[in-house]
Amino acid sequence: MKPVRMTHHAREQAIERGTTEAEIKESIAKGSRHAAKQGRWMYRHNFQYGAKWQGQFYPIKQVAPVVVEKANEIVVVTVYTFYF
């Protein structure tokens, strides 16, 4: 896999949405790949969570980074996190 670089915005969103850089990289490596807007790609990967997020218990956390794939690297431009 190419090196993964996180933009400043992606780092901020990861913190705000409760995910880690390690989970983002695992989502890119193991997740399902879907076309996104502007020639970007979104990867989706489910993690066993079994914890509370913002006061509610969720068994699953889905991490969905949006990336631009360049010749020598993968650039994470933002990340979404879904709890269910």
Side-chain angles (χ1 to χ4, degrees), residues 4-8 10-11 14 20-21 24-25 74-76 79:
V4 176
R5 180 171 56 90
M6 304 268 297
T7 63
H8 179 72
R11 288 183 193 282
T20 65
E21 190 169 336
I24 291 167
K25 288 180 179 180
I74 296 172
V75 180
V76 181
V79 61

Side-chain angles (χ1 to χ4, degrees), residues 24-49:
I24 291 167
K25 288 180 179 180
E26 185 174 340
S27 296
I28 293 168
K30 297 181 180 178
S32 59
R33 183 177 183 220
H34 307 274
K37 293 180 181 178
Q38 300 175 346
R40 298 174 178 173
W41 295 97
M42 176 185 282
Y43 291 85
R44 291 181 179 267
H45 186 64
N46 293 343
F47 293 88
Q48 294 297 316
Y49 187 59

Side-chain angles (χ1 to χ4, degrees), residues 46-83:
N46 293 343
F47 293 88
Q48 294 297 316
Y49 187 59
K52 286 187 175 183
W53 172 252
Q54 298 184 342
Q56 187 168 341
F57 180 85
Y58 295 97
I60 304 291
K61 173 168 73 170
Q62 183 179 86
V63 178
V66 177
V67 307
V68 174
E69 294 195 16
K70 297 192 173 191
N72 298 325
E73 66 181 353
I74 296 172
V75 180
V76 181
V77 294
T78 195
V79 61
Y80 298 101
T81 309
F82 305 99
Y83 295 88

